Amino acid sequence: PAALRAAGVTSREMDVLALVADGLSNADVAERLFLSPRTVETHVANLLAKTGSANRAQLRALTP
């Protein structure tokens, strides 16, 4: 989505966001994307900051 791109969300962060929106935990996202859980935590933190969301539920609301 253009609004997320305008906020500076990267393509990898979009991958993480899609899985978070599906209700996956950081560990599950890490396993699916072949990342460390810590890397996923960083991506989620970046998504929260870039979108101004307070929590994962608000992040989920951003996905179509």
Side-chain angles (χ1 to χ4, degrees):
L4 292 176
R5 296 246 184 255
V9 175
T10 66
S11 62
R12 190 51 139 181
E13 289 167 345
M14 287 296 297
D15 295 340
V16 170
L17 177 58
L19 295 175
V20 167
D22 286 343
L24 273 63
S25 68
N26 286 354
D28 291 335
V29 172
E31 188 176 315
R32 291 238 186 134
L33 297 179
F34 303 102
L35 300 171
S36 76
R38 181 68 180 120
T39 300
V40 174
E41 288 175 23
T42 299
H43 285 311
V44 171
N46 289 342
L47 284 163
L48 291 169
K50 288 178 179 181
T51 63
S53 299
N55 52 47
R56 294 168 80 93
Q58 287 183 351
L59 284 177
R60 278 189 221 105
L62 298 174
T63 60

